Amino acid sequence: MADQSRPVPAPDEVTRPYWEAAKQHRLMLPKCQQCGHISFPPKSQCPECGSPNVMWMEMSGRGTVHSFCIMHDNFIRGFDPPYLIAHVDLEEQPELRLTSNILNCPIREVWIGMPVEVTFEEISDEFTLPQFQPRQP
Amino acid sequence: MLPTKNKTAIVGVGYTDMVRYSERSLADTTVEAALNAIKDAGLTLGDIDGYSGPGASNNAGAMNIEGVDQVSATYMVNALGLAEPRWVSDGEGGVGGGLVAAARALDSGACNYIVLQRAMYHPPRVRYAGFRNPTIGGPPQFTVPYGIGDGIGGGGNRHAMWLQRYMYDYGATREELYAVIKADRRHANMNPFAYWRDKGVTLEDYMSTRWIYEPISMLDCDIPVTGAGAVVVTTAERARDLPHKPAYIAGYSQDPGEPSSSIYEVSDIDRTDVQVAQIYDGYSPFVYYWLEVTQFCATGEAHSYIQDGRIELGGELPVNTFGGSLGEGRLHGFGHLREAAIQVMGRGGERQVPNVENCLLTIGPPRGRAGERSGSAGGGAWILMLSTG
């Protein structure tokens, strides 16, 4: 399990399903039944067309590294520099962009365009984070 | 064109030194800057009937104690002893938004003379950034658990990722980014308030300095300081009776998020009639973003545009003639506002750009992706045009 002193999410009623799914090792997001737009961070009303008719759907988990940086200072408790932070674009929609640390990969081997797939990291008894790791294309 | 173009103006400026580990209360510092500005404008405290203040400290580790590490507008109205304030605002929208709101208050006749301020605090003992809460709610619940400081201090990760992608997309190099620091430090040498005055940075220094959010290094981040600035803003009619040439507010526009001529349309001033620009540089890559959004160069070309001294005094478009946040210290854009006014007023001394008619001013970090707005005090970033009228 990751360093137990790391910050954990404080879910609200809109975001709770995301974290419940993650605990079950599933990556799920709300998809608008009207226009098909997937929202992240999750919203109860579609930010594109305004429809309240959104439904939580499981994502394929496949994505691509859009960008990354390497953190050298310990601004956030529980993290041990140097560590990597990446933006990952999910394949389902352009700019559907999640944050990840890219696990199971040395930080110097991450590159823009790298194909990744979702994995999950327990950070406390209550919370599991969706993460990403290298994927064979 | 903005119907109220040139109907309001900055008529006085006041400042304090930028210091670290300050033992002096922020209230003291802020009052000093305000009184300096009022005196500079040729006014007295009794003339001031409007105030726009700096808002809460937003760095993680802030104690948020009034008068000590933050000063609300209400606090400052009392600390200054303003007799009958008719308009008081807590500076929503950051420095740029604060100036826009002040201009609009004057346009509506709400009050006559407004003091607008920004004050920042660097404490003697508390670590500036450093998030220690066990839980995080709101949108940062999707980023902070990954070690990203978004919006809560130490938040350069997003901008570092932007720079990383920019370099990949456009073939830009780190060496090229040095041109921003070089210009800022050179200009800071001519600014008596600048923290980094007379402390040059060579390309070698830059390329070997330590990383913070790689590819953003320590020299790409502005240094937290305690300091305060103030300007006095009034209507064009009242400005005519005051000692200095006014710096008129010709127009303003929120960050369009992509290249746009909006500021030029709103102020009815051509980009080619802008002689100088103050570009927010809290992190050095912001300069790329703003130069491209304000169309001084095409998307992806700013890294080339800034080479060969083009953005230095004597170059085609002098930028941050006071040293910028990177040369002066972190004042959330107030230094940029002050310098824009100084340049238009013709008071820049050895760093005065010749024949200034218009100064462009961008205040705030770039807009976030997919329409998310960024800004240290709510709202989005602002673009403003100050003019000799």
Side-chain angles (χ1 to χ4, degrees):
Chain A
M1 195 184 295
D3 184 331
Q4 291 278 293
S5 63
R6 285 164 57 170
V8 296
D12 50 67
E13 73 178 14
V14 175
T15 66
R16 189 160 290 114
Y18 181 88
W19 297 112
E20 283 171 349
K23 185 111 174 85
Q24 307 301 318
H25 289 211
R26 302 174 76 192
L27 180 65
M28 295 187 70
L29 286 172
K31 184 178 168 112
C32 178
Q33 299 304 292
Q34 187 91 355
C35 75
H37 182 81
I38 302 166
S39 64
F40 181 79
K43 308 244 177 354
S44 55
Q45 196 167 326
C46 180
E48 281 291 299
C49 74
S51 168
N53 192 9
V54 304
M55 196 153 91
W56 286 83
M57 317 265 307
E58 184 156 9
M59 302 292 111
S60 72
R62 283 187 294 276
T64 310
V65 171
H66 178 263
S67 191
F68 62 92
C69 68
I70 296 171
M71 189 57 180
H72 289 259
D73 260 3
N74 63 333
F75 287 144
I76 311 286
R77 66 187 266 165
F79 286 86
D80 208 13
Y83 62 93
L84 183 136
I85 296 165
H87 271 163
V88 170
D89 283 3
L90 298 186
E91 69 174 5
E92 278 85 356
Q93 181 174 289
E95 299 194 344
L96 182 54
R97 196 160 290 159
L98 272 58
T99 304
S100 172
N101 298 115
I102 312 295
L103 306 184
N104 304 320
C105 181
I107 62 178
R108 297 279 162 198
E109 286 178 29
V110 174
W111 44 281
I112 290 179
M114 182 168 119
V116 292
E117 64 190 10
V118 73
T119 181
F120 295 88
E121 182 185 30
E122 263 182 65
I123 56 167
S124 70
D125 288 332
E126 205 187 335
F127 288 101
T128 296
L129 297 185
Q131 285 280 14
F132 288 85
Q133 65 187 5
R135 147 173 77 95
Q136 294 310 310
Chain B
M1 187 189 89
L2 188 71
T4 52
K5 172 178 170 171
N6 292 348
K7 292 271 181 11
T8 53
I10 293 171
V11 293
V13 297
Y15 232 50
T16 66
D17 286 326
M18 307 287 127
V19 300
R20 293 199 23 104
Y21 306 109
S22 177
E23 293 280 346
R24 194 181 173 203
S25 79
L26 190 61
D28 261 9
T29 305
T30 313
V31 166
E32 179 189 326
L35 294 178
N36 287 348
I38 294 167
K39 185 168 163 203
D40 188 61
L43 295 167
T44 65
L45 196 55
D47 294 315
I48 306 301
D49 58 353
Y51 185 84
S52 176
S57 280
N58 71 329
N59 50 291
M63 296 177 289
N64 296 114
I65 298 175
E66 281 278 30
V68 177
D69 72 337
Q70 73 176 35
V71 280
S72 66
T74 315
Y75 184 93
M76 281 305 297
V77 162
N78 289 314
L80 275 171
L82 293 185
E84 286 183 41
R86 297 199 287 144
W87 182 80
V88 178
S89 163
D90 240 314
E92 54 279 337
V95 169
L99 184 65
V100 170
R104 289 173 173 161
L106 291 163
D107 289 339
S108 72
C111 60
N112 299 332
Y113 298 97
I114 294 173
V115 165
L116 168 77
Q117 295 206 258
R118 189 68 175 182
M120 297 293 284
Y121 187 67
H122 189 247
R125 277 169 299 279
V126 175
R127 175 96 194 264
Y128 188 74
F131 183 69
R132 299 286 183 260
N133 267 10
T135 66
I136 181 82
Q141 74 191 260
F142 298 103
T143 54
V144 171
Y146 298 89
I148 196 169
D150 249 354
I152 50 100
N157 311 95
R158 180 164 70 82
H159 308 302
M161 288 197 270
W162 186 91
L163 176 62
Q164 186 84 272
R165 184 73 201 202
Y166 183 95
M167 296 196 293
Y168 170 86
D169 282 338
Y170 306 116
T173 66
R174 265 208 87 227
E175 284 91 335
E176 287 171 320
L177 192 49
Y178 168 69
V180 171
I181 284 80
K182 177 167 176 275
D184 276 344
R185 288 298 179 103
R186 182 180 150 212
H187 299 158
N189 289 344
M190 297 177 244
N191 173 1
F193 299 108
Y195 182 82
W196 293 115
R197 189 179 185 200
D198 295 329
K199 295 178 184 102
V201 172
T202 65
L203 177 60
E204 212 184 297
D205 294 334
Y206 181 68
M207 295 302 288
S208 61
T209 191
R210 73 180 182 94
W211 295 117
I212 309 281
Y213 324 90
E214 184 181 347
I216 281 181
S217 74
M218 196 174 69
L219 288 171
D220 297 300
C221 303
D222 58 5
I223 191 158
V225 291
T226 293
V231 293
V232 178
V233 198
T234 189
T235 60
E237 289 82 22
R238 293 196 188 87
R240 281 197 264 281
D241 299 327
L242 298 176
H244 298 299
K245 184 164 88 168
Y248 294 100
I249 298 168
Y252 41 79
S253 127
Q254 283 210 282
D255 177 8
E258 58 185 12
S260 164
S261 56
S262 58
I263 186 58
Y264 308 112
E265 287 163 22
V266 157
S267 61
D268 196 28
I269 288 168
D270 276 348
R271 185 175 48 76
T272 52
D273 289 330
V274 171
Q275 292 80 25
V276 57
Q278 312 303 330
I279 304 282
Y280 188 65
D281 58 338
Y283 291 106
S284 58
F286 291 173
V287 174
Y288 287 171
Y289 176 85
W290 285 120
L291 285 174
E292 292 174 3
V293 160
T294 53
Q295 301 186 311
F296 281 100
C297 55
T299 300
E301 290 185 4
H303 66 104
S304 303
Y305 180 86
I306 65 172
Q307 302 308 313
D308 306 318
R310 188 182 262 115
I311 58 167
E312 294 183 33
L313 281 164
E316 190 180 307
L317 179 77
V319 170
N320 292 344
T321 46
F322 68 110
S325 293
L326 292 175
E328 185 181 71
R330 181 170 190 255
L331 209 60
H332 269 177
F334 207 92
H336 301 74
L337 169 59
R338 174 185 175 272
E339 183 72 1
I342 291 275
Q343 287 287 331
V344 169
M345 288 166 144
R347 300 166 66 189
E350 62 173 330
R351 60 181 204 265
Q352 178 66 45
V353 173
N355 307 314
V356 168
E357 289 172 5
N358 305 298
C359 180
L360 184 83
L361 172 61
T362 65
I363 303 190
R367 186 198 276 210
R369 65 187 160 91
E372 286 168 22
R373 289 189 180 267
S374 178
S376 59
W382 286 90
I383 307 173
L384 296 111
M385 188 77 79
L386 297 190
S387 177
T388 50

